[in-house]
Amino acid sequence: MKKSIVFLLLFFPVCLWSFDFGVDLNQDAVFGGIGDDTEAEYSAALIPHFAVSLGESADLYVSAALEAIYEYEEFSFAAELLHTELSWRSGNLKIRAGRIPYADPLGFTVEGFFDGAQVLYDTTAGTFNAGGWYTGLLYKRNANITMTGDDFVSYYTALDYDNFSDTYFASRRMLMAVGWEHPAIAEMIRARASVLGQYDLNDTDNPYHSIYISAKAAIPVKQFIIALGGCMQMAKAGDKTGVGLAGELGGAWIVPTHFYSQLSLIGRFSSGKTDSIDPFIPITTKPQGSVLEAKLSGLSAFFLDYAAQLRPTVYAGLTASYFIRSDKETYTAYPVNPVDNDGSVLGGEFFGRVTWSPLTDLSLNFGAGIFLPSMGNINPKADFQWRVELALMLVVF
């Protein structure tokens, strides 16, 4: 009897914790290519996730993925720990640790899940934060770190379980950041700023270290939102140092229709190589465009986007994009001709997407688009590039 009472006393606090468990199934099929050269990709990921409240001040969330991938006419399998976070809050202070999300104010310098910890403190002057993260234990294909030539080669090297440590993990870098955010300065301006440093821990003769100072502000004006941001990068590669620049200017208009719709125009710029400025090199590669998927380094991109909720369960969007090189050395991918490298305008892209979510546990996403080099002057006779994708997201239980 006494043992039963002791057991109940130990078990009772656990019963008070709230928890949630589920499994998602995500499937993605992609068809595309350049001209008549067609390629197909497919991936299926089983994602279990678990969340539990550890009393009144702490929470634990764990998620992972087992993914099957078909690309380059071969199948591969990969397991990965996803968002895994232990958080604790006391008054205005919050501490989070594990594999946690982080993004710079602009969103294109660094964004993703990283291993480390972050401290956040709320004040009347805004929320201040500081954190440190390590990238060398992440799965490289989802980390998207291609800062150097060695990073790029490693990223595209196929996963080999006989040489797991050299073909699975992302580039080894240490990130440290301090930041500040205010939701409504003067009850109007949303602002963010950060200082971010990354230190190259790879075994290389020419390590690449860099510091990023970035800020962004968004101002609502009636049915409009205007956003402006910029970033200065100071980098050291071996014995050479340099400065790179990047920025973003955009606006959004809530269109007065009987259904929700928004029209937005965004321009992004990143420096290329000049006598006084170096190329801007982001930490994580965020593709610019849905078809071209260009890296924002030595590139300017313009996006005109229209998004609408046509019905309670149907969302649609259409984006027109235009890409211009900042110099003739940094960006050398398609459609640049390695022999005749004149011109600055890569071309234009059009991409449309429709999402149908008949249930909260089910979502079907269809997208299709085309990139036209003929709209540029670098290689206007190059074949068009196209892409069709279909994604299914299902909560199994």
Side-chain angles (χ1 to χ4, degrees):
M1 182 65 179
K2 292 182 179 180
K3 292 182 179 180
S4 299
I5 294 176
V6 172
F7 175 79
L8 289 174
L9 290 175
L10 293 174
F11 183 70
F12 183 69
V14 179
C15 296
L16 296 179
W17 295 347
S18 61
F19 66 92
D20 176 65
F21 176 75
V23 177
D24 299 346
L25 176 61
N26 295 348
Q27 297 186 75
D28 296 273
V30 177
F31 303 91
I34 299 175
D36 296 330
D37 185 10
T38 303
E39 294 183 354
E41 299 177 7
Y42 172 78
S43 65
L46 195 64
I47 306 174
H49 51 87
F50 173 78
V52 61
S53 178
L54 305 177
E56 297 181 357
S57 59
D59 296 284
L60 175 65
Y61 182 86
V62 179
S63 63
L66 178 61
E67 187 174 16
I69 306 167
Y70 175 81
E71 61 179 353
Y72 310 121
E73 300 183 350
E74 291 184 356
F75 269 104
S76 62
F77 298 89
E80 180 184 12
L81 185 66
L82 300 179
H83 184 192
T84 298
E85 177 178 338
L86 175 63
S87 61
W88 175 82
R89 177 180 290 275
S90 177
N92 295 339
L93 178 67
K94 181 179 180 180
I95 300 176
R96 53 204 307 228
R99 182 159 292 183
I100 58 178
Y102 178 77
D104 73 292
L106 296 173
F108 56 70
T109 299
V110 60
E111 183 178 28
F113 293 97
F114 306 98
D115 297 322
Q118 186 181 36
V119 179
L120 302 97
Y121 189 73
D122 293 329
T123 71
T124 56
T127 300
F128 296 86
N129 64 80
W133 302 268
Y134 178 63
T135 67
L137 298 177
L138 304 173
Y139 179 40
K140 62 182 182 181
R141 296 305 298 270
N142 291 331
N144 294 319
I145 300 175
T146 57
M147 301 190 74
T148 65
D150 290 341
D151 289 349
F152 189 86
V153 171
S154 174
Y155 178 83
Y156 283 102
T157 300
L159 177 60
D160 182 2
Y161 283 95
D162 292 332
N163 190 19
F164 181 79
S165 61
D166 292 333
T167 60
Y168 179 90
F169 296 110
S171 176
R172 297 188 295 273
R173 298 180 181 275
M174 186 69 193
L175 312 181
M176 293 165 287
V178 293
W180 165 82
E181 180 176 359
H182 198 293
I185 299 177
E187 299 183 355
M188 185 176 182
I189 303 173
R190 179 177 181 180
R192 293 185 64 193
S194 74
V195 178
L196 168 67
Q198 72 82 24
Y199 188 82
D200 192 343
L201 298 177
N202 294 289
D203 185 14
T204 175
D205 294 332
N206 294 299
Y208 187 88
H209 313 301
S210 53
I211 297 175
Y212 304 84
I213 303 173
S214 58
K216 184 176 182 178
I219 306 172
V221 182
K222 294 184 179 181
Q223 291 181 313
F224 295 87
I225 299 175
I226 301 172
L228 172 66
C231 180
M232 180 176 69
Q233 174 195 16
M234 294 169 284
K236 181 179 181 181
D239 296 329
K240 298 180 180 179
T241 60
V243 174
L245 301 173
E248 179 180 272
L249 175 63
W253 174 41
I254 307 300
V255 184
T257 56
H258 68 278
F259 53 85
Y260 175 82
S261 63
Q262 176 178 290
L263 183 67
S264 60
L265 176 64
I266 300 173
R268 294 193 182 111
F269 163 81
S270 72
S271 61
K273 180 66 176 177
T274 68
D275 293 336
S276 57
I277 300 295
D278 280 356
F280 177 81
I281 307 294
I283 297 175
T284 56
T285 300
K286 184 176 182 179
Q288 305 299 305
S290 298
V291 181
L292 184 64
E293 296 186 319
K295 181 178 180 178
L296 187 65
S297 186
L299 193 72
S300 294
F302 302 90
F303 307 93
L304 179 62
D305 179 80
Y306 177 74
Q309 184 178 359
L310 302 178
R311 298 179 63 86
T313 60
V314 179
Y315 303 82
L318 179 63
T319 303
S321 311
Y322 207 56
F323 305 94
I324 302 174
R325 291 196 297 177
S326 303
D327 68 317
K328 297 181 180 180
E329 297 181 20
T330 306
Y331 184 88
T332 58
Y334 190 82
V336 175
N337 188 329
V339 177
D340 185 4
N341 198 18
D342 277 334
S344 297
V345 182
L346 297 175
E349 176 185 301
F350 301 92
F351 193 88
R353 188 182 302 277
V354 176
T355 301
W356 178 48
S357 299
L359 303 170
T360 57
D361 296 340
L362 175 64
S363 178
L364 187 64
N365 187 307
F366 173 78
I370 188 171
F371 169 73
L372 301 172
S374 59
M375 295 179 64
N377 62 6
I378 287 182
N379 195 1
K381 295 184 179 180
D383 291 331
F384 63 85
Q385 186 175 357
W386 61 281
R387 180 183 178 95
V388 176
E389 56 185 48
L390 182 65
L392 173 66
M393 290 171 282
L394 174 65
V395 178
V396 180
F397 61 86

